[in-house]
């Protein structure tokens, strides 16, 4: 069962401020990988992450072609971070949301620095339904039943 913890929320909420934004790995339909920094990754609910996609570059196209993504968080400097090497990998299936209550909720969870870079709210919400959360050594923290 996946149920994110308050510590995970705190680590993700502070990631950009700490200078350690999450990296999101996507892949095209033919499997070509790409990694992009995302400064707005947040916990949407117990088993879901979100981020605000404001760049409108290649990530949305890749997600439409292949929804499987990995979100990589690393910050060993945070003393409260008990995960090996300060790393957490979140694996799941992403989808783009361009309006409605989920879009509004994701905007509300987006930190102020990222919101200020999209004052007209032209971005999209990316919601990630998680299947697996693991440490850097592949030790499973949580997985979907």
């Amino acid at each position: 069962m996946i149920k994110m913890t308050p510590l995970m929320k705190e680590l993700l909420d502070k990631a950009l401020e700490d200078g350690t934004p999450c990296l999101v790995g996507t892949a095209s339909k033919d499997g070509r990988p790409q990694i992009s920094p995302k400064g707005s990754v947040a916990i949407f609910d117990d088993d879901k992450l979100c981020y605000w996609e404001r760049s409108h570059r290649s990530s949305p196209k890749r997600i439409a072609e292949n929804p499987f993504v990995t979100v990589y968080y690393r910050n060993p400097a945070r003393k409260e971070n008990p995960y090996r090497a300060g790393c957490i990998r979140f694996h799941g299936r992403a989808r783009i949301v361009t309006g409605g209550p989920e879009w509004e909720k994701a905007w509300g969870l987006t930190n102020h620095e990222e919101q200020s870079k999209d004052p007209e709210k032209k971005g999209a919400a990316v919601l990630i339904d998680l299947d697996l959360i693991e440490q850097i050594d592949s030790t499973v923290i949580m997985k979907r039943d």
Side-chain angles (χ1 to χ4, degrees):
M1 180 171 108
I2 294 179
K3 183 175 170 100
M4 299 245 232
T5 67
L7 176 59
M8 289 175 178
K9 179 178 181 354
E10 179 180 342
L11 293 172
L12 291 175
D13 285 350
K14 301 279 186 195
L16 185 62
E17 181 181 321
D18 288 346
T20 59
C22 291
L23 300 176
V24 176
T26 58
S28 63
K29 65 182 170 188
D30 60 351
R32 294 188 182 271
Q34 175 178 288
I35 296 174
S36 301
K38 301 296 179 186
S40 60
V41 174
I43 293 178
F44 190 83
D45 61 28
D46 283 347
D47 64 351
K48 191 178 287 131
L49 294 176
C50 68
Y51 68 88
W52 192 254
E53 175 56 58
R54 60 177 176 75
S55 71
H56 304 290
R57 292 185 194 132
S58 60
S59 291
K61 180 180 184 237
R62 287 170 173 268
I63 289 169
E65 293 177 355
N66 180 351
F68 294 99
V69 301
T70 298
V71 176
Y72 180 78
Y73 167 86
R74 180 175 188 269
N75 187 352
R78 280 215 163 252
K79 291 181 175 45
E80 69 274 39
N81 186 340
Y83 303 107
R84 183 162 188 159
C87 297
I88 310 171
R89 289 190 296 222
F90 301 88
H91 302 271
R93 289 159 283 114
R95 59 189 169 92
I96 308 286
V97 178
T98 57
E102 291 178 318
W103 182 81
E104 288 292 343
K105 181 177 177 180
W107 173 257
L109 293 169
T110 300
N111 60 58
H112 294 297
E113 184 174 342
E114 288 293 313
Q115 284 183 346
S116 73
K117 294 175 183 172
D118 188 8
E120 296 177 17
K121 287 174 66 172
K122 291 185 177 180
V126 177
L127 275 58
I128 304 168
D129 294 303
L130 297 174
D131 298 315
L132 176 70
I133 303 172
E134 65 181 356
Q135 295 188 88
I136 191 71
D137 62 0
S138 298
T139 299
V140 173
I141 299 169
M142 296 175 202
K143 67 180 180 176
R144 184 170 298 282
D145 295 333

